[in-house]
C-alpha cells in the first residue's frame, strides 16, 4: 500500500467538520487530502462553485497528474456545482463523508465521475 493510501486509511473514523484541517478536530475532503499527503491544504479553490478547472489548477500547483492508482488524489464531481476530493486505496476510496459525519472507506469505484487524478506521494 502506498504511504498516502495508508495515511488516508489511518484517518478512517475521524469526524467530519466543514473546513476541518486538523484530524483532532475534524476533517473535510480538503483537510483529508492535506493530512494524508502532508501538504498544505489549498485555498481559494472554489469547490462549491463547481469550477473544475479552478480546482484542478489548485491541485496542479501542488501535485503531479497521474492515473487512478492507490495513493492518488481524486477530483470528483459529487453533484451539480459540487466538487469533492478522495484518496484512492487499493479496494476503494477514502473520503470525508458529510452524510456519515466522518472520514469513511467506500469500496469499489467512486460513485461520482472522476475529473482528474494527482500523485499524492512526493
Amino acid at each position: 500500500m502506498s504511504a498516502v493510501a495508508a495515511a488516508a486509511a489511518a484517518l478512517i473514523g475521524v469526524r467530519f467538520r466543514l473546513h476541518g484541517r486538523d484530524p483532532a478536530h475534524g476533517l473535510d475532503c480538503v483537510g483529508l487530502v492535506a493530512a494524508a499527503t502532508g501538504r498544505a491544504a489549498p485555498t481559494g479553490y472554489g469547490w462549491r462553485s463547481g469550477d473544475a478547472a479552478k480546482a484542478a489548477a489548485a491541485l496542479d500547483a501542488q501535485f503531479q497528474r497521474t492515473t487512478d492508482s492507490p495513493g492518488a488524489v481524486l477530483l470528483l464531481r459529487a453533484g451539480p456545482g459540487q466538487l469533492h476530493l478522495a484518496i484512492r486505496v487499493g479496494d476503494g476510496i477514502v473520503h470525508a463523508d458529510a452524510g456519515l459525519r466522518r472520514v469513511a472507506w467506500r469500496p469499489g469505484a467512486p460513485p461520482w465521475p472522476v475529473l482528474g487524478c494527482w500523485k499524492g506521494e512526493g
Side-chain angles (χ1 to χ4, degrees):
M1 181 180 285
S2 80
V4 170
L11 294 166
I12 292 172
V14 168
R15 81 179 185 102
F16 176 86
R17 180 172 165 240
L18 188 61
H19 305 293
R21 300 295 181 263
D22 182 347
H25 301 288
L27 298 170
D28 66 4
C29 66
V30 176
L32 169 66
V33 168
T37 63
R39 300 190 188 194
T43 59
Y45 41 79
W47 300 115
R48 291 195 184 274
S49 73
D51 187 341
K54 189 173 182 180
L59 291 165
D60 284 338
Q62 292 195 37
F63 301 99
Q64 178 183 9
R65 296 249 184 178
T66 191
T67 58
D68 185 350
S69 56
V73 174
L74 307 180
L75 175 61
L76 308 163
R77 177 154 317 274
Q82 187 174 2
L83 302 173
H84 187 52
L85 295 176
I87 303 287
R88 168 63 75 191
V89 295
D91 53 355
I93 61 171
V94 173
H95 71 116
D97 192 310
L100 294 176
R101 305 298 301 156
R102 63 182 170 80
V103 174
W105 168 72
R106 184 178 194 106
W112 312 287
V114 176
L115 304 178
C117 305
W118 287 262
K119 186 177 178 182
E121 325 270 5

